[in-house]
Amino acid sequence: MTYRMVYRRAYRIEINRLGGKNMGKYFGTDGFRGKAGMDLTAEHAFKIGQFVGWWYRQPESGSESSKMVAETESGIVPARIVIGKDTRKSSYMYENALAAGITSMGSEAYLLHVTTTPCVSYITRTEGFDCGIMISASHNPYFDNGIKLMNREGEKMDDKTIEELEAFLDGEFGDGIKRELPRITGDGIGKTRDFYSGRNRYIGYLAGIPTRSFEKRTVALDCANGASWMIAGAVFNALGAKTQIINADPDGVNINRGCGSTHLESLKEYVRTHNCDCGFAFDGDADRCLAVDEHGNEINGDIIMYICSKWMKRQGLLPSNTVVTTIMSNIGLYKALDEEGIAYEKTNVGDRYVYENMKENDHMIGGEQSGHVIFRKYAHTGDGLVTALMVMGVMIDTNLPLSALAAGCRIYPQVLKNVEVDDKDGTLGDETVKAMVKTVEEKLGNDGRVLLRKSGTEPVLRVMAEAGTKDDCEEAVDAIIGAMKTSGHLLKVR
């Protein structure tokens, strides 16, 4: 199947879907996230802690809630739940509230303290924990925060459990019957334990992934004043790199502020002025990584997947010969993969959907433009440090600079505009709009593509075009928006 056929199919799919799975009232694809103290409160965190502390201490976790509530307290084994957090001021508040909720249900809370999301995932699956919790709002500013839940395998929590939890947050369980959780007293109350050692085990695990030393390589690491500030340098130093670390002085409010994977300017300048071989930028919880080559040019997630999948294929490490992307990956990636004879699959936007596809079909690499890249041999979630280690490994194995490795993947210009419409499905199904999409596609031919996506929360359509030039992108997007206006669906362009 050619990339052109894939894009046409993706557009048809987007017309008929609601934008992926319907997420809940509180939890989205990446946890419960919002403004700290307002959208996400300490009371929310306490109740989440209560729920997981109770749910996972049952002999048969995941059975019907009515059956579980009816069980007696005798013979109950406390759940073991591990918690990590990023550097936001509010993360400490949520850590305490979660631990209080967990221990109030007779379960045990293990505190990793400041660490990364992939560290929590790794420790959960390798140390036999029943559940993992990460407190972070990822790349968002400090005044936001979030709570991510993971199952025993370090994967994002299943929809069934999230549905039960959301019902509990609203005062009832999934069957609609209001109930009270049991009150635990005396020696039945759980314990909170420090678990710094878990973070050290994760550092040791990462340092063992590369097969060659990073000696004589000068590498700049932008830690975004976030969760990686004590981990990234330790890993690269252990591997022998000449490590230069920037934005690793968190104060509770400077996480992601003008730095990290969403603000590459300071890293680009540092790499250029200090003659580094490359640089890597993480986000607040370090599940993302973007790179900068020796000239200070951005290497985004699409290019990283190209570089690594090409190398993996040649090393016999890509058994399915497939890369999993989202529908937002650039046409340039698909053309480059076609040149290498590497297949690809596409999911809805969100690393959760990428991982689900990888697991179901036994694919080994997948990710997003934003730097969420999953190497399934090493992690069950996007791991920015694993990504950086893999890119370094390719550079050392090939003895090529990052700019040369990236040269085979040309990223096409892209324009994305959000438009408010009266009816998302009606607009996508309108014959005038469909005809214009077809006209634009035919004009772009094999040198571009268009994509229409529905917002999952607003009356908004996202109109995107990729083409050989920025002007061609603008012309394609404006033509489709013009058809929406002609058909009477357009309310305004944001």
Side-chain angles (χ1 to χ4, degrees):
M1 179 181 293
T2 66
Y3 66 87
R4 189 65 184 164
M5 293 170 64
V6 171
Y7 282 127
R8 289 184 183 275
R9 186 178 69 179
Y11 172 70
R12 289 197 297 271
I13 291 172
E14 282 299 305
I15 288 178
N16 294 312
R17 70 169 32 171
L18 293 175
K21 296 180 180 179
N22 291 322
M23 303 313 295
K25 177 178 178 181
Y26 302 104
F27 284 79
T29 58
D30 208 18
F32 187 162
R33 187 178 294 182
K35 185 169 288 188
M38 182 177 295
D39 304 314
L40 175 60
T41 66
E43 290 80 7
H44 285 130
F46 176 75
K47 293 192 73 174
I48 291 170
Q50 278 189 307
F51 178 86
V52 296
W54 164 76
W55 181 269
Y56 284 101
R57 75 185 178 91
Q58 301 297 326
E60 298 181 49
S61 299
S63 58
E64 292 298 323
S65 57
S66 57
K67 174 181 180 295
M68 289 170 27
V69 171
E71 290 173 353
T72 65
E73 294 299 304
S74 61
I76 296 296
V77 178
R80 298 171 67 250
I81 298 167
V82 65
I83 304 172
K85 67 174 183 282
D86 69 16
T87 57
R88 297 162 211 267
K89 289 174 64 176
S90 59
S91 293
Y92 295 81
M93 170 178 74
Y94 295 125
E95 178 186 57
N96 290 330
L98 284 162
I102 290 165
T103 55
S104 75
M105 289 293 101
S107 293
E108 297 183 344
Y110 289 72
L111 306 183
L112 288 165
H113 301 284
V114 173
T115 195
T116 67
T117 292
C119 174
V120 176
S121 173
Y122 171 76
I123 291 300
T124 301
R125 68 182 172 90
T126 60
E127 298 292 329
F129 284 99
D130 297 293
C131 175
I133 304 176
M134 179 64 186
I135 304 162
S136 178
S138 191
H139 59 283
N140 285 23
Y142 83 93
F143 48 76
D144 288 338
N145 215 327
I147 295 175
K148 304 180 183 184
L149 299 179
M150 305 172 199
N151 64 19
R152 292 183 177 97
E153 295 301 315
E155 303 163 342
K156 293 187 177 181
M157 194 66 72
D158 63 278
D159 292 338
K160 171 63 176 175
T161 302
I162 294 298
E163 289 171 6
E164 293 282 355
L165 170 54
E166 292 203 331
F168 173 68
L169 290 174
D170 283 336
E172 58 187 34
F173 288 101
D175 54 11
I177 301 174
K178 295 183 181 295
R179 296 188 182 87
E180 294 290 333
L181 292 181
R183 293 188 178 274
I184 309 300
T185 60
D187 62 1
I189 294 173
K191 297 179 180 179
T192 298
R193 305 173 185 267
D194 282 321
F195 198 51
Y196 285 107
S197 60
R199 189 171 61 201
N200 294 333
R201 291 172 199 175
Y202 173 66
I203 291 172
Y205 170 70
L206 292 177
I209 290 175
T211 58
R212 300 189 185 190
S213 168
F214 294 173
E215 188 179 5
K216 299 181 181 178
R217 301 281 179 159
T218 302
V219 183
L221 304 177
D222 183 345
C223 295
N225 294 312
S228 66
W229 78 285
M230 289 189 294
I231 295 177
V235 173
F236 275 76
N237 287 336
L239 290 164
K242 297 177 182 178
T243 310
Q244 308 290 319
I245 302 176
I246 63 174
N247 299 313
D249 187 23
D251 61 11
V253 299
N254 62 357
I255 186 171
N256 300 315
R257 183 193 291 165
C259 58
S261 62
T262 52
H263 303 279
L264 290 176
E265 296 78 16
S266 61
L267 179 61
K268 290 179 178 181
E269 179 64 20
Y270 191 94
V271 168
R272 284 193 294 262
T273 58
H274 290 79
N275 297 315
C276 298
D277 292 296
C278 61
F280 298 101
F282 310 107
D283 64 342
D285 65 337
D287 61 355
R288 294 188 188 191
C289 172
L290 294 183
V292 171
D293 72 16
E294 71 277 15
H295 304 302
N297 299 313
E298 177 179 344
I299 307 296
N300 68 17
D302 282 349
I303 302 175
I304 288 171
M305 286 189 285
Y306 164 74
I307 290 170
C308 292
S309 63
K310 178 180 176 180
W311 178 82
M312 289 168 69
K313 179 177 180 178
R314 294 180 181 179
Q315 298 296 315
L317 301 175
L318 197 67
S320 69
N321 193 42
T322 300
V323 177
V324 181
T325 73
T326 75
I327 56 175
M328 292 303 292
S329 277
N330 192 272
I331 186 176
L333 170 62
Y334 298 105
K335 287 195 169 190
L337 292 177
D338 283 338
E339 288 292 321
E340 295 298 325
I342 298 174
Y344 39 85
E345 294 191 15
K346 302 176 70 177
T347 75
N348 208 331
V349 176
D351 62 321
R352 171 178 181 162
Y353 306 126
V354 171
Y355 178 75
E356 288 173 353
N357 182 291
M358 293 173 66
K359 183 179 179 181
E360 180 179 352
N361 298 295
D362 201 25
H363 301 315
M364 301 310 295
I365 182 173
E368 300 181 287
Q369 273 184 330
S370 61
H372 277 123
V373 181
I374 302 171
F375 295 89
R376 199 164 65 87
K377 178 179 178 180
Y378 302 111
H380 290 183
T381 185
D383 188 326
L385 282 160
V386 169
T387 299
L389 295 176
M390 293 297 291
V391 172
M392 283 294 297
V394 178
M395 289 175 60
I396 291 169
D397 187 66
T398 60
N399 198 30
L400 290 172
L402 190 50
S403 61
L405 293 171
C409 183
R410 175 199 172 198
I411 296 300
Y412 279 55
Q414 182 185 93
V415 169
L416 173 67
K417 294 184 181 181
N418 295 323
V419 294
E420 289 188 22
V421 294
D422 59 353
D423 179 351
K424 289 183 285 188
D425 289 317
T427 304
L428 290 174
D430 187 273
E431 292 302 322
T432 300
V433 175
K434 289 164 65 177
M436 181 56 70
V437 169
K438 182 178 179 181
T439 298
V440 170
E441 283 189 326
E442 290 174 349
K443 183 176 180 179
L444 293 176
N446 289 339
D447 293 320
R449 66 147 176 164
V450 296
L451 182 67
L452 276 64
R453 292 179 53 230
K454 292 184 287 187
S455 166
T457 57
E458 300 177 283
V460 167
L461 289 176
R462 311 191 196 287
V463 185
M464 187 271 284
E466 291 171 349
T469 68
K470 192 75 172 285
D471 288 344
D472 289 339
C473 294
E474 290 278 1
E475 183 180 339
V477 168
D478 289 344
I480 293 170
I481 293 174
M484 294 178 181
K485 182 177 181 180
T486 299
S487 63
H489 291 291
L490 182 68
L491 299 180
K492 68 176 181 178
V493 179
R494 288 193 173 182

